[in-house]
Amino acid sequence: MGFRPFHRISEGLRRRGVPARVSSLAMVFQRSPLVSLLPEARVISTSGFSEAVKWSVTVIAGLGAYDSATGASQMVQLLPTPGSLVVNAVAGDPLNFVFQTTGTPHIPSSHTTTALPPGLRLTGLVDSTVDSITGIPAQAGTFPVIVTAWELPGPSGDSFSQAFTFEIVNPPVPEVTQSPASGNFAAGALVKISAGHNHGRTFTWTRNGEGLPPQEKVFFSRSGGRKFRTAPASDPGAAWRSGGPFVESTDPNSQTDPAWTTVFGGIGYDVSTTTGGDFTPFIVPSTGNLQSLMFGPPNPPKPVAVHLRMPFKISTAETLSFLTLRVQCDDGFVAWLNGTEIASLNKPATLAWNSAASADILNASPVNFQEIDVSQFLGLLRQGDNLLAVQAMNRATNSPDFLFNCELAGGINATNSPHLVLTDFQPAVAGTYVLTVANPAGSVAAQPATLLVLPAIHSQPESVAIESGATAQLSVTAEGSAPFSYQWYAGASGDTSNPIAGATLPSFTTPPLTGMAVYWVRVTTPAGTADSNAATVTVNASVPDSYVEWKAARFPGEEGGNPEISGPAADPDGDGLTNEQEYIFGTLPLQPETVIALESTVNGNHQIEVAFTAAKASGPGYGGRTRHYAVEITADLTADSWIPLPEAADIAGNDQPVTVVLPQSASRAFCRLKVWLTP
């Protein structure tokens, strides 16, 4: 706390029974021109002491206090309209009305006001010609306010007053000057969007038409671990507060780079309980008590500033529209987030690494945490490691007390901020965001901002080895903002010259292969595309070609040597099935026939049943092979979204009859039978 010698002299005089105005008279004698004091001086030289005091006090009081001593006193507006007696403001807009008292015999001790408009408060600077009325006006209207400057604390003693008129008007209808931007971002990214506006008072965010629920998370708590040191003897630079690489000294004897000490909570000291309450309960015992470092004999001079480093992480999914710094402080501080200044109190005009606070703390109870909205700095947050750094400052060397603690919190408040930060961006928080800006005059919505997660391959298709004539099953898993679509290609990844017709699902079954083949898939979403790695399917050369064995049995003689008759893609019987398909289904390649007799009936429960025979793979070309069947359904033939029924997803053929009950559907549905061979 600061030291006010004149106030304490006057208070001492009152305790000794001398009238309060004696101190005023003493100041007049000390500071006024001699010619102004001659009448009073003559009286004092010819009268007894007590009579002189009574007469002189009466004369000075009768002359109008401040005005009598050094000329006309006046109080003028410095901000927002210099020189005017009218203070113009807008309801809901921050106001900083600064005024100055001049022409007084000495600096005013304090200022008081009549009732202020709702939402405003007097700052209450002590021993200053300048003071201010700040806050956010809560209602429109005309409000007369009288501001009084007092000579002595209390208020007491001489005074000077000035009338001001506060003209507070309602704000105009808000407008959005810049809407939040849409974008596509990788999963896990830290996404920041904001809107420009005029005259906004409240800000409401929605995602996909629904409001964001209020929430708060404390990133750094008032009991969190932090490192501190008193200001060193020479300028250490700004690395300690930058949020970048920094090596903390561990040398307790260094004067230029002293060691950093860990503490979990408030720091400071208190050797006097006469001002601002007792700080001791709010200081961590031992490690947080700085009395031995900041208070004591004047040589060498004691430091008045303390540097603090408070690291924290952002590693989980958070949606943030506000950021709040809560500070417990006596007498001043400057705070930085990742190297950028975000808040200060009683900051000197020129800040050095060892600066003192520019004034005493104004709060009557410094132990109360003050909330400071720093939402405009949300964009400084980083995924992973962050740093809150503070230079806490005392008012003067050997001040009888000192205190500092803080915490940083963020979260969602639907009416708090035009800024929004989404940490660890994932599909669950992707969507279309709309900001509505409002004030008492109306509201307006910004253009929607669509935020999507870029597609990424979560699991790649794996290379595999098969027997000659077998098929391979390849699959991919993708992440990102839905919906997903897939297209498989033959060839190297990125080569789109050989798309595979109908291969548009996350999984793909190759045709029967007799030689090596390479496949990959492209995943497409509204946010973009992602290409998988290529998967290589190799064919084991030591295994006989089963299709060749089947072909030799089905096409004896010259037909077996004519690929237009016995080739895998030929259809010699004209039934719509290639020879390769006839081989898989177990049908005859030279005799037109239905692939499989698939019968459907309606049972007593009004359910559709399908029945077929699951033929065994036997005969030439099927040695060691198994024929498999699956029943699949879809509601849309154009979407190529066939889904296997769980109870009929993989039936091994052994010439057994199979009956499957189809699930009931509110709309039409389609059913198909899938057949394949293994290995």
Side-chain angles (χ1 to χ4, degrees), residues 232-471:
S234 60
D235 189 350
W240 68 271
R241 67 181 193 235
S242 68
F246 179 72
V247 178
E248 297 174 349
S249 171
T250 57
D251 183 358
N253 300 315
S254 173
Q255 295 297 312
T256 58
D257 189 17
W260 293 79
T261 301
T262 300
V263 65
F264 292 85
I267 61 172
Y269 65 92
D270 196 343
V271 297
S272 172
T273 59
T274 60
T275 55
D278 183 8
F279 295 167
T280 304
F282 306 98
I283 298 170
V284 176
S286 184
T287 54
N289 192 318
L290 307 187
Q291 181 174 334
S292 63
L293 298 175
M294 301 181 69
F295 185 83
N299 291 316
K302 300 297 183 182
V304 293
V306 178
H307 300 166
L308 298 102
R309 287 170 51 83
M310 292 159 278
F312 63 94
K313 289 181 177 291
I314 294 180
S315 57
T316 57
E318 307 287 349
T319 303
L320 309 175
S321 71
F322 75 86
L323 195 63
T324 300
L325 180 66
R326 300 187 179 104
V327 177
Q328 186 185 46
C329 178
D330 180 285
D331 288 300
F333 77 92
V334 182
W336 296 268
L337 178 57
N338 293 327
T340 297
E341 182 178 328
I342 61 172
S344 65
L345 175 66
N346 291 340
K347 174 187 175 183
T350 301
L351 179 70
W353 83 97
N354 57 355
S355 290
S358 61
D360 292 323
I361 192 68
L362 305 177
N363 191 343
S365 299
V367 298
N368 294 335
F369 277 84
Q370 301 180 53
E371 289 207 354
I372 303 172
D373 182 9
V374 291
S375 301
Q376 67 268 37
F377 299 107
L378 273 168
L380 299 177
L381 292 173
R382 304 186 298 218
Q383 186 72 32
D385 294 328
N386 293 262
L387 179 72
L388 175 65
V390 168
Q391 179 168 317
M393 300 171 289
N394 213 344
R395 179 68 177 93
T397 299
N398 267 344
S399 173
D401 48 25
F402 173 66
L403 178 66
F404 187 82
N405 197 354
C406 68
E407 72 178 11
L408 184 69
I412 280 292
N413 184 326
T415 60
N416 187 268
S417 174
H419 312 284
L420 195 66
V421 172
L422 309 172
T423 70
D424 190 22
F425 189 56
Q426 298 292 344
V429 295
T432 299
Y433 286 79
V434 175
L435 173 66
T436 300
V437 182
N439 68 24
S443 64
V444 61
Q447 291 297 315
T450 300
L451 309 179
L452 300 177
V453 179
L454 289 166
I457 305 298
H458 179 65
S459 61
Q460 300 282 350
E462 296 183 357
S463 296
V464 64
I466 62 172
E467 302 299 327
S468 179
T471 62

Side-chain angles (χ1 to χ4, degrees), residues 547 550 555 564-597 673 675:
Y547 177 78
W550 176 84
F555 297 96
E564 293 184 359
I565 297 176
S566 61
D571 180 14
D573 59 6
D575 62 1
L577 299 177
T578 66
N579 288 333
E580 183 179 54
Q581 291 171 331
E582 302 267 17
Y583 168 63
I584 294 172
F585 292 136
T587 53
L588 300 175
L590 297 176
Q591 179 179 331
E593 60 183 320
T594 302
V595 178
I596 297 175
L673 187 64
V675 184

Side-chain angles (χ1 to χ4, degrees), residues 111-179:
H111 298 88
T112 61
T113 70
T114 56
L116 293 174
L120 300 181
R121 66 178 180 84
L122 176 67
T123 301
L125 293 177
V126 177
D127 292 342
S128 175
T129 61
V130 176
D131 209 342
S132 61
I133 294 173
T134 62
I136 300 178
Q139 67 183 66
T142 300
F143 302 87
V145 175
I146 297 176
V147 181
T148 301
W150 294 92
E151 175 193 6
L152 299 178
S156 61
D158 297 331
S159 64
F160 172 76
S161 299
Q162 177 65 60
F164 293 93
T165 301
F166 283 68
E167 292 287 353
I168 302 174
V169 299
N170 281 318
V173 174
E175 60 179 353
V176 175
T177 58
Q178 182 177 359
S179 291

